[in-house]
Amino acid sequence: MSDRSLSSTHVGLRAAFPLIILTLACVLLTACGEPAEAQSEARQGPAQAGVPVTVEVLSTETVTLTSTLQGRTRAYRTSEIRPQVTGLIEDRLFEEGDNVKAGDPLYAIESSEYRAEVASAAAAYERSRATALVAEQNAKRFASLAEIEAISTQQKDEADAAVAQSRADVSMAKAALERARIDLERAVVRAPIDGTIGRSVVTQGALVTANQSAALATITQLDPLYVDLTASAEDVMRWRRQLQSEAQSSGSGAVPVTLSGKEGQPLSEKGRLEFSEVSVDEEAGTVILRAIVPNPDRLLLPGLFVRATLPTAILEDVMAVPQQAVLRTPRGEPYVFVVNEEGMAEQRPVTIVQAQDGQWILSEGVKAGDRLITDGFQRVQPGAPVRVTNPPADRNSGTRAAAGASTGAAAH
């Protein structure tokens, strides 16, 4: 290699030497910075390194437990209209589907024959009265003659008997007249109850007979309505004991009932439980409960399938928690996770009383002030650190609506 080439090589190395030194310094600084950052992360507390969770601060509540039963509506009153006299239908005096009052005329039956019977019975009644008057006058004469012994005692007795018989004839004739008048009145078929009348099965000119088996029409009272509900005998006995004790303490024995349809929409105003059947169905082990509910708009019809919700117990100092916050062990035992004072997840076994409005009612296992983990528990392990991501809000004691609202906020 020539002297000129060596000289240019030395010059290039001297020019690149500062750049090489700078690169080595950067590498050393980077290597030294990694342990510092690792040490910084290690110094961070469990609150920053734990599993992120959402919590809800629990408080005690007074919860009214309810049960939902299935049943069908029944008419409060039903009356099948049948004629009580025989004759031809002259006229129908109502419109099908009308609301009628007791005593309203419904059908007019041809009544000329019944008017004639009234006239005949009235004449017979007057004749019997005249006969009785003559008998009484004869009896008075015979009494005077008997005093002077102008007639025998037997003749006087026969005169007295004639008076008694004539009076009986008057009573019979009067009763016959009253019966004839009743039949004449029954020629107009009237509504026996208030309600809504259905379709008529006879038309003008039809021949009807007294007390026939086929009804002319049916009147149904729709306000209020009965609701027949089916419940197990064991549940009914338990509810009775609970409600009786509460009624003694509160002084009120009325049990409110709320109806809803298949979609859960309310169907009427609140009603009340009327009575329960006095016997148990031996095959099904069930008891029929009957409720009475108002139906002022007559929207409910007999035979409709409904659901009825009624209170069965009042529990004090219990917890209502979201159902998704309650987990199960492989053996099916319920438990929850709470955040303890050290910021660690703590597993607690709980006792479930009943499901209510999308929540579990707990009687044991948690207490007021506990921070219940409602979201993020899928990655939580007992004793592991957790990081609360939401500001915990206290549940309003005794307010079910507030409980549902806080549950929804936690889910979001």
Side-chain angles (χ1 to χ4, degrees), residues 58-80:
L58 299 181
S59 61
T60 58
E61 301 183 22
T62 298
V63 178
T64 299
L65 296 183
T66 61
S67 292
T68 300
L69 305 177
Q70 298 180 351
R72 291 195 179 274
T73 55
R74 306 294 181 192
Y76 187 73
R77 290 179 183 172
T78 300
S79 176
E80 294 183 339

Side-chain angles (χ1 to χ4, degrees), residues 43-53 339 341-344 371 384-389:
R43 285 193 300 268
Q44 291 178 353
Q48 299 296 329
V51 176
V53 295
V339 180
E341 296 179 356
E342 290 76 21
M344 304 293 182
R371 292 184 294 172
V386 295
R387 176 164 50 91
V388 177
T389 60

Side-chain angles (χ1 to χ4, degrees), residues 178-301:
E178 186 67 22
R179 177 59 185 269
R181 288 173 176 170
I182 291 174
D183 287 343
L184 179 59
E185 291 179 358
R186 287 175 174 174
V188 177
V189 181
R190 299 182 181 275
I193 62 172
D194 297 348
T196 303
I197 191 166
R199 64 184 182 90
S200 174
V201 299
V202 295
T203 59
Q204 186 177 0
L207 175 63
V208 295
T209 59
N211 302 317
Q212 63 185 32
S213 59
L216 306 182
T218 301
I219 298 177
T220 303
Q221 185 172 343
L222 300 178
D223 183 26
L225 276 182
Y226 285 131
V227 181
D228 289 343
L229 309 169
T230 303
S232 68
E234 293 79 6
D235 289 342
V236 172
M237 293 176 63
R238 185 177 71 253
W239 299 339
R240 278 183 170 179
R241 288 193 296 267
Q242 182 68 27
L243 293 174
Q244 283 177 356
S245 62
E246 292 171 3
Q248 291 175 356
S249 60
S250 64
S252 174
V255 179
V257 176
T258 303
L259 294 189
S260 60
K262 292 183 178 180
E263 304 299 328
Q265 73 278 14
L267 295 180
S268 69
E269 301 176 10
K270 284 188 177 181
R272 68 180 187 277
L273 196 63
E274 190 76 358
F275 86 106
S276 65
E277 188 58 81
V278 296
S279 60
V280 179
D281 187 325
E282 295 182 1
E283 295 183 358
T286 57
V287 177
I288 299 297
L289 304 178
R290 170 161 284 186
I292 182 171
V293 296
N295 188 29
D297 298 330
R298 295 176 174 82
L299 298 178
L300 302 180
L301 299 177

Side-chain angles (χ1 to χ4, degrees), residues 256-396:
V257 176
T258 303
L259 294 189
S260 60
K262 292 183 178 180
E263 304 299 328
Q265 73 278 14
L267 295 180
S268 69
E269 301 176 10
K270 284 188 177 181
R272 68 180 187 277
L273 196 63
E274 190 76 358
F275 86 106
S276 65
E277 188 58 81
V278 296
S279 60
V280 179
D281 187 325
E282 295 182 1
E283 295 183 358
T286 57
V287 177
I288 299 297
L289 304 178
R290 170 161 284 186
I292 182 171
V293 296
N295 188 29
D297 298 330
R298 295 176 174 82
L299 298 178
L300 302 180
L301 299 177
L304 183 67
F305 175 82
V306 294
R307 293 183 175 90
T309 302
L310 63 157
T312 56
I314 298 177
L315 301 180
E316 297 180 353
D317 298 331
V318 294
M319 309 287 177
V321 304
Q323 289 189 354
Q324 73 272 12
V326 179
L327 309 177
R328 299 276 182 175
T329 66
R331 299 176 57 182
E333 299 170 343
Y335 68 92
V336 297
F337 281 114
V338 297
V339 180
N340 60 21
E341 296 179 356
E342 290 76 21
M344 304 293 182
E346 181 179 336
Q347 182 174 325
R348 299 262 190 91
V350 293
T351 301
I352 297 177
V353 178
Q354 182 175 315
Q356 182 91 346
D357 298 334
Q359 297 180 314
W360 289 119
I361 307 301
L362 307 182
S363 60
E364 297 179 358
V366 289
K367 63 182 184 300
D370 282 344
R371 292 184 294 172
L372 176 71
I373 298 178
T374 60
D375 193 15
F377 49 77
Q378 297 86 350
R379 295 182 295 163
V380 170
Q381 295 295 328
V386 295
R387 176 164 50 91
V388 177
T389 60
N390 70 310
D394 192 5
R395 296 166 61 94
N396 293 327

